[in-house]
Amino acid sequence: MIRKPLCSYVSTWRKVGAIRGDDITVKSYKVESRITSRFAHTTVRSSVVNSGSKAQSIGFNVQIPKRAFITNFTMNVNGITFVGSVKEKTVARNLYAQARARGKAAGIIRANSQDMETFKTEVHVPPGSNIEFELHYQEMMHRKLGFYEHSLYLQPGRLVPQFQVDVYIYEPKGISSVQTPNTLGVQFSDLIKAHVVFKPNLQQQRKCDNCTGSAIDGVFTVKYDVNRDSNAGELQVSDGHFVHFFAPSNLSPLPKNIVFVIDVSGSMWGVKMKQTVEAMQAILDDLTIDDNFSVIDFNHNVRCWSEELVPGSSIQVADAKKYIQNIKPNGGTNINEALMRAVQMLVKASNQGLIDSRSVSMIILVSDGDPTVGEIKLSTIQKNVKRVMREEFSLFSLGIGFDVDYDFLERIANENRGMAQRIYANHDAAEQLRTFYSQVSSPLLRRITIQFPEDSVSEVTQNRFDKYFSGSELVVAGRVLPSDTNTLTSITTAAAARLDLTLETDADTTELDMELAKQQHSFTGFARQMWAYLTIKQLISERSLAPTAVKKRKITQRIMALAVEHQFVTPLTALLVESEDAKERLLADSPKDPKQGCCSGSASSGLAPVRVVYQPPPWVQMTTPAPPSQANKGPEDWTLPHFRVSLLVDNDPHFIVHLPGSDTDVCFNIDSKPGHILNLVSDSGAGVVVNGQLIRSKHKNKINTYFGTISIYYQPEGVSVTVSTDSIDMSDGRNNHSFTWGATADISQDGISTVRNSQVTITINNNIQVMVLLHRVWKKHPVNVDFLGVYIPNNNQYSPLVHGLIGQFSREPFPEVSVYDIHEGPDPLKKEATMEVKGNKLLVTRGWQKDYRSDTRRGSSVYCWFIHNSGKGLIDGHYTDYIVPDLNSFLQMP
């Protein structure tokens, strides 16, 4: 007897129904996906009856994403249950050989399709038999172009009385949007969880009113994105594991240096070349004047449109487009020389100083075949490329069709900080090329590292990334080590356009598990499985690049151990499905990719976990509390330490000034109108200005004003930092970056801005510093609003030209201040006195204001002499002299 192979490879893909059989009844077909924190567990169930009068084979086919791992399969045939388990491939095959199931088969077929493979099983059963199938698989959602996309392939092949798809989404931060194509489902916004249902009845399933065929034949897709309240990322801890999601936005793109390397050999003739040219027209139009580019086309020879990189001006782009349109494919394929020429072009531009040190340099290779001219040994080409590529360069590989060795393209891309993608040579190949380019066309960050305090985590997945592209997401996972604290902290460093960032965030290690327990449809083991998923994907990528057999063997053992522990069907493991008495067994192997492909690796190169020793950033020193000996002193004899902040503005807006010469604290209010911009510091000599814009409370009958926006502008570099109650924005005239208050960060751009939860410290040239404090109130508070406080130390080094409402108190020498005739006032708790300053005699009242730096909720009391009438007699001129037209305006005193 000749046995059919359990696994096979097909050269063309043909749509087949999920349930196969000539005279059968499909009672139900149900799909359920539980997506928790970007990790999906999908279950496909179907119940089938052999309605015919003869024994027949009934098939169960499920198309699943290539990036998914099958985790289990069970089958019940007339009361006999078959249960699956994942084992090392050799172990599974040996067990299968001992007890092969008769009339039953299972396998996984990798089809020549864009992003799927098919799990197939077949059962030969007598008439009247009842069969129940159940398949489980898991995958991580990858964010592309601003969305996570979950696709379910629905092809029941016939009408089904009970047909239902349920997709449950739970994201701890909430969901910003959910989309389902063709209006299948509803739109959700700002929800904690989403439930998308697709449940057509029998009549709705029909192709036409009287048809017996099913109209359900395609892909059911759910696209969604999550709320993000911090550019520092989202750190989640569950089940002894952590996952850190990093997807910042509101950053200016980095300039790009791109060399397009296009295969124009004879095999590209026709539709392939036409679609490549069409895609390149749109891609070149996307370039800006800040980008540099060139085009290399190759067959058996290598030609350059330009021998060196040129700016992406409209003239150069138009000329390059014309050049590409005139290409006539012919000849062989010399990949090695083409890539060598591309690297040389980037090296030359770098050596000549033509490349911005913060720009992103990349080579984009488009090819449809193996090398036939020059160096044709793939391993040698791989070594050549690795040898000449610099650390700051990346290689992206696009393989068109199936004549190309995709595994090779993936290896050279992963090894050189890029990624590979297969382009399918059909009617939408141009759109596939454009979509791929869109994913890499807007780099926002370089040299990203996500670290954790020493001895807080272990077995961390890849945590160093060469670049981050807009609309994508970087994910790091690992184990959480036992600790005395319930808080885990992550620190992310990165380089943006003219900015160096250090971002910090933390997470409670117990909170998420308690929340997940309340969610009926959440996947409680998501963090553990996601860590294993990422680790295995990265190890598979490492394995393909292993330099020695010993190294490869160690990686192989690690993959198999993890896959068996977490029950993932990988290229090195198999699914053994056996009856309860173990007398019958089925085997499902994970397939190889066509054309020598060994395994489906990750999209980025896998790096060994890095053990990091963390030293906390040098956060701003907090106010030193009064010594114990002064704790019980009354308000009259309270002496403030000389080293405390000398100038602060907070609340309504209250100005507090410490005058070291006379060791006196004075305070005053400014009773201006909402919308007015007050100058706080104006130093035309140093080129620094600090302004604040007023907002009002919600009180209808009384106008209370607060600072809602603070702007710090450094004129020599054209850099401004605008702090509002919503965000912190930085601009240098060309690049704009925005950060949320939820982040903890160090941001460097011609000075240093430190963001730490609810305070921002801006340091300019290491000698002028401004701290801004955020005061949050209950959103539904009937009167109060969020507002800002400003704190300026007394050691700022201004020029003699400094002025402003608080800048004037930094000018030397400041006039002497004397206070005398202290006596009881109308309020027994607030004494009155006479103050002499600048030749003026002022009636002042002893009171206190709040310093919120060390306690942002309650604040600490600062006792001072209060000057009435908006500081009249203390400040130069009238307070209206300090109103300026815009946030970056210098003061023009009359």
Side-chain angles (χ1 to χ4, degrees):
M1 185 175 91
I2 300 175
R3 294 187 180 273
K4 293 182 179 180
L6 295 181
C7 292
S8 60
Y9 306 98
V10 292
S11 58
T12 58
W13 176 63
R14 177 174 58 91
K15 287 187 178 181
V16 294
I19 309 298
R20 292 183 295 108
D22 295 329
D23 192 2
I24 62 174
T25 299
V26 181
K27 295 193 296 184
S28 66
Y29 190 89
K30 297 182 179 181
V31 182
E32 179 187 276
S33 284
R34 290 178 293 148
I35 304 174
T36 300
S37 295
R38 292 80 146 173
F39 198 77
H41 181 112
T42 300
T43 304
V44 183
R45 299 181 179 93
S46 186
S47 179
V48 185
V49 176
N50 181 3
S51 307
S53 58
K54 298 179 181 179
Q56 64 169 316
S57 292
I58 296 177
F60 176 67
N61 305 329
V62 179
Q63 295 166 25
I64 67 174
K66 284 183 178 178
R67 64 174 180 243
F69 286 144
I70 290 173
T71 57
N72 204 350
F73 172 72
T74 61
M75 179 172 62
N76 187 296
V77 183
N78 294 325
I80 300 174
T81 302
F82 291 77
V83 180
S85 62
V86 177
K87 301 183 182 297
E88 293 182 15
K89 187 165 285 189
T90 54
V91 172
R93 284 176 174 170
N94 289 336
L95 289 170
Y96 170 68
Q98 296 170 18
R100 295 187 180 187
R102 290 190 173 187
K104 305 176 185 69
I108 305 170
I109 295 176
R110 173 149 295 163
N112 284 1
S113 64
Q114 292 193 29
D115 49 12
M116 69 176 181
E117 59 195 25
T118 303
F119 173 85
K120 305 184 72 171
T121 187
E122 191 171 278
V123 187
H124 193 82
V125 292
S129 295
N130 289 276
I131 310 102
E132 293 180 354
F133 303 101
E134 184 173 307
L135 179 70
H136 298 257
Y137 62 89
Q138 296 177 359
E139 62 178 315
M140 187 181 83
M141 302 290 97
H142 291 266
R143 189 168 184 256
K144 294 182 179 180
L145 302 177
F147 285 97
Y148 307 96
E149 187 171 298
H150 182 58
S151 296
L152 300 170
Y153 299 87
L154 306 179
Q155 295 167 327
R158 63 198 67 238
L159 299 176
V160 182
Q162 298 180 46
F163 184 95
Q164 183 166 341
V165 176
D166 291 282
V167 179
Y168 299 94
I169 306 174
Y170 174 74
E171 291 287 347
K173 290 288 187 182
I175 296 169
S176 61
S177 66
V178 175
Q179 301 175 16
T180 54
N182 302 322
T183 65
L184 297 177
V186 294
Q187 291 287 81
F188 300 93
S189 178
D190 299 323
L191 298 178
I192 297 301
K193 59 182 178 180
H195 178 197
V196 181
V197 185
F198 178 47
K199 189 179 180 182
N201 58 37
L202 276 173
Q203 188 60 35
Q204 291 169 328
Q205 294 176 42
R206 299 180 190 274
K207 290 183 177 180
C208 62
D209 289 344
N210 299 319
C211 295
T212 58
S214 174
I216 302 175
D217 184 4
V219 180
F220 182 83
T221 299
V222 177
K223 296 174 66 175
Y224 77 96
D225 201 17
V226 302
N227 293 324
R228 291 177 178 82
D229 57 11
S230 168
N231 267 350
E234 182 179 355
L235 181 60
Q236 299 179 8
V237 181
S238 175
D239 193 22
H241 293 75
F242 76 87
V243 185
H244 182 101
F245 302 100
F246 185 63
S249 58
N250 298 320
L251 299 169
S252 291
L254 296 166
K256 304 184 293 292
N257 313 296
I258 308 180
V259 182
F260 298 98
V261 182
I262 303 172
D263 184 347
V264 296
S265 60
S267 57
M268 286 287 289
W269 182 269
V271 174
K272 291 180 184 177
M273 196 67 227
K274 180 181 178 182
Q275 301 244 352
T276 300
V277 170
E278 181 185 332
M280 286 300 301
Q281 305 296 306
I283 289 171
L284 291 173
D285 280 335
D286 181 72
L287 296 172
T288 70
I289 192 65
D290 292 326
D291 298 325
N292 298 302
F293 80 105
S294 187
V295 178
I296 293 176
D297 61 299
F298 70 96
N299 44 30
H300 50 284
N301 295 317
V302 176
R303 297 189 308 165
C304 299
W305 163 72
S306 171
E307 291 291 342
E308 54 189 29
L309 295 180
V310 298
S313 66
S314 57
I315 295 175
Q316 300 285 15
V317 166
D319 189 60
K321 288 165 69 174
K322 183 178 179 181
Y323 176 85
I324 292 172
Q325 281 180 323
N326 293 327
I327 290 175
K328 298 291 188 285
N330 66 85
T333 307
N334 193 343
I335 292 179
N336 185 75
E337 187 178 341
L339 289 176
M340 294 299 102
R341 188 79 63 87
V343 176
Q344 289 167 9
M345 193 177 291
L346 290 176
V347 169
K348 180 180 178 182
S350 180
N351 291 343
Q352 293 177 345
L354 302 177
I355 290 180
D356 187 325
S357 60
R358 290 182 180 265
S359 63
V360 171
S361 298
M362 61 179 82
I363 297 168
I364 297 181
L365 168 67
V366 181
S367 179
D368 78 330
D370 287 346
T372 60
V373 178
E375 180 57 66
I376 62 173
K377 190 175 181 181
L378 297 181
S379 60
T380 302
I381 297 175
Q382 182 179 339
K383 291 176 183 177
N384 291 343
V385 173
K386 175 68 174 175
R387 186 184 72 254
V388 299
M389 283 284 281
R390 291 186 176 179
E391 284 296 318
E392 64 268 27
F393 301 161
S394 296
L395 171 62
F396 296 88
S397 304
L398 298 173
I400 300 181
F402 288 88
D403 293 326
V404 67
D405 189 322
Y406 182 72
D407 183 50
F408 162 70
L409 293 183
E410 191 172 51
R411 284 201 310 272
I412 61 170
N414 287 347
E415 194 172 34
N416 294 285
R417 297 158 297 283
M419 59 182 177
Q421 183 166 314
R422 191 188 293 281
I423 303 298
Y424 297 86
N426 52 31
H427 65 282
D428 70 341
E431 181 59 30
Q432 294 175 55
L433 287 164
R434 286 194 296 267
T435 300
F436 175 84
Y437 178 75
S438 296
Q439 295 174 42
V440 301
S441 64
S442 187
L444 299 184
L445 296 173
R446 287 205 57 204
R447 298 185 294 277
I448 307 101
T449 302
I450 300 174
Q451 304 176 359
F452 302 85
E454 186 180 18
D455 295 331
S456 65
V457 297
S458 66
E459 298 182 71
V460 179
T461 61
Q462 178 184 352
N463 68 339
R464 299 177 186 272
F465 305 90
D466 184 66
K467 59 189 72 66
Y468 165 75
F469 295 101
S470 178
S472 66
E473 185 171 62
L474 304 179
V475 183
V476 178
R479 296 183 187 271
V480 179
L481 297 176
S483 173
D484 295 333
T485 177
N486 287 337
T487 300
L488 177 66
T489 301
S490 71
I491 305 95
T492 303
T493 59
R498 298 190 66 187
L499 278 178
D500 289 323
L501 309 179
T502 300
L503 306 166
E504 180 180 328
T505 190
D506 52 40
D508 189 294
T509 57
T510 60
E511 192 175 71
L512 183 55
D513 281 334
M514 290 188 291
E515 187 61 36
L516 289 173
K518 302 174 187 176
Q519 304 297 325
Q520 181 181 357
H521 297 286
S522 66
F523 177 33
T524 54
F526 85 92
R528 180 177 180 270
Q529 290 299 94
M530 185 179 284
W531 167 76
Y533 178 97
L534 280 170
T535 301
I536 290 171
K537 289 285 186 182
Q538 291 172 12
L539 286 171
I540 289 173
S541 182
E542 280 188 58
R543 183 176 181 270
S544 70
L545 302 173
T548 65
V550 173
K551 177 71 173 175
K552 188 172 185 177
R553 189 160 51 249
K554 288 183 178 179
I555 295 173
T556 299
Q557 292 169 350
R558 174 75 170 139
I559 293 171
M560 290 192 297
L562 275 174
V564 170
E565 179 185 353
H566 294 266
Q567 292 293 284
F568 287 147
V569 179
T570 70
L572 302 172
T573 53
L575 183 68
L576 185 72
V577 186
E578 55 187 339
S579 59
E580 293 172 328
D581 58 8
K583 292 183 178 180
E584 290 191 284
R585 292 180 176 133
L586 295 78
L587 181 70
D589 281 357
S590 180
K592 294 181 179 179
D593 219 11
K595 197 68 188 282
Q596 303 175 17
C598 77
C599 358
S600 58
S602 63
S604 57
S605 56
L607 301 178
V610 178
R611 196 73 176 273
V612 177
V613 178
Y614 166 60
Q615 296 297 330
W619 301 124
V620 170
Q621 185 177 356
M622 293 300 182
T623 304
T624 304
S629 60
Q630 296 186 4
N632 297 321
K633 291 188 178 182
E636 291 184 42
D637 53 5
W638 188 290
T639 302
L640 293 172
H642 285 267
F643 50 77
R644 65 176 299 277
V645 167
S646 62
L647 300 164
L648 61 91
V649 188
D650 219 322
N651 219 328
D652 187 21
H654 301 308
F655 290 73
I656 307 174
V657 182
H658 179 70
L659 305 173
S662 55
D663 197 19
T664 302
D665 290 289
V666 296
C667 50
F668 58 93
N669 292 350
I670 294 295
D671 298 320
S672 195
K673 297 179 180 179
H676 280 177
I677 300 174
L678 300 178
N679 174 256
L680 306 180
V681 176
S682 180
D683 188 350
S684 56
V688 176
V689 64
V690 181
N691 292 324
Q693 187 167 31
L694 298 175
I695 57 173
R696 65 170 296 168
S697 68
K698 302 174 186 175
H699 204 293
K700 293 183 179 179
N701 301 320
K702 182 182 178 182
I703 298 179
N704 289 332
T705 56
Y706 307 87
F707 279 122
T709 304
I710 300 294
S711 175
I712 300 91
Y713 177 55
Y714 183 45
Q715 190 181 48
E717 296 291 344
V719 176
S720 66
V721 179
T722 304
V723 184
S724 69
T725 56
D726 296 322
S727 62
I728 300 99
D729 301 309
M730 300 187 69
S731 175
D732 61 4
R734 294 178 61 187
N735 301 297
N736 300 294
H737 308 278
S738 182
F739 303 88
T740 61
W741 277 101
T744 298
D746 273 351
I747 309 155
S748 301
Q749 177 172 336
D750 305 313
I752 302 171
S753 171
T754 304
V755 183
R756 188 172 195 259
N757 294 328
S758 58
Q759 72 179 39
V760 181
T761 300
I762 299 96
T763 305
I764 299 175
N765 273 356
N766 295 320
N767 56 22
I768 297 177
Q769 189 176 86
V770 180
M771 179 195 289
V772 182
L773 190 68
L774 172 66
H775 297 278
R776 288 279 194 218
V777 299
W778 178 43
K779 288 184 178 180
K780 296 182 180 180
H781 196 287
V783 176
N784 295 342
V785 294
D786 294 347
F787 65 95
L788 304 174
V790 184
Y791 298 76
I792 299 178
N794 60 3
N795 58 353
N796 278 355
Q797 300 174 26
Y798 302 110
S799 81
L801 301 177
V802 66
H803 211 285
L805 277 170
I806 54 181
Q808 61 188 284
F809 298 105
S810 297
R811 301 174 73 173
E812 296 290 346
F814 190 82
E816 288 291 326
V817 175
S818 62
V819 179
Y820 57 90
D821 188 23
I822 301 174
H823 57 273
E824 297 290 336
D827 186 340
L829 297 178
K830 297 181 179 180
K831 293 187 176 182
E832 293 185 342
T834 299
M835 176 182 288
E836 283 194 15
V837 58
K838 296 183 178 179
N840 301 313
K841 290 185 178 180
L842 309 175
L843 177 66
V844 294
T845 303
R846 187 68 165 171
W848 62 87
Q849 302 292 0
K850 290 289 187 179
D851 181 345
Y852 290 95
R853 288 167 300 157
S854 56
D855 186 341
T856 57
R857 289 178 178 242
R858 294 179 295 273
S860 57
S861 296
V862 176
Y863 290 88
C864 60
W865 290 107
F866 182 78
I867 299 172
H868 303 273
N869 300 320
S870 296
K872 185 177 180 181
L874 176 69
I875 64 174
D876 293 340
H878 193 267
Y879 83 87
T880 55
D881 297 332
Y882 298 87
I883 298 174
V884 293
D886 61 60
L887 286 170
N888 288 348
S889 294
F890 282 82
L891 181 64
Q892 304 293 329
M893 287 296 291

